[in-house]
Amino acid sequence: MMIINLLGLLLIALIVWWFWLYKPQAVLANKNTVTVVVDNGTYEPSRIRLLAGQDTTLRFLRKDASPCAATVVFADFDISEELPLNKPKDISLPPLASGEYPFTCQMQMYRGALIVNENGE
């Protein structure tokens, strides 16, 4: 009985870490263009570092046939775009002020963030 309780607590701790505490390493945008692959329930990379005040193009490549993966939403910019399956879709973003801007699928199950700083760090 004690082993089952310990395994249950370990599983709860793992779930808390994965969904609320874990943040993948952010990728720095290179040459103002970043390719984001949509596959297996995630955006890869899901955290993207950008320089403030410069135009950026995000190129989404959707490999996941799930209906949830079909749309990407940038609520802060009022952008909602359909992503075709196995074809790249470019989304141009205007120059951004420093801050963190989330992007999601329409049901907010796929999640990502743009981290915008003056120095890109």
Side-chain angles (χ1 to χ4, degrees), residues 33-105:
T33 301
V34 178
T35 299
V36 180
V37 177
V38 184
D39 196 16
N40 294 324
T42 63
Y43 294 120
E44 184 59 41
S46 61
R47 295 177 58 79
I48 303 166
R49 291 197 179 280
L50 303 173
L51 287 171
Q54 73 180 24
D55 292 336
T56 304
T57 300
L58 298 179
R59 177 168 290 140
F60 283 85
L61 179 58
R62 176 180 162 217
K63 295 183 176 182
D64 192 335
S66 164
C68 190
T71 304
V72 64
V73 178
F74 293 85
D76 292 329
F77 313 126
D78 229 9
I79 295 174
S80 176
E81 292 284 339
E82 293 293 319
L83 303 177
L85 189 60
N86 294 318
K87 293 180 183 174
K89 170 71 174 188
D90 288 352
I91 298 174
S92 298
L93 300 175
L96 305 174
S98 292
E100 188 164 325
Y101 304 96
F103 59 95
T104 65
C105 66

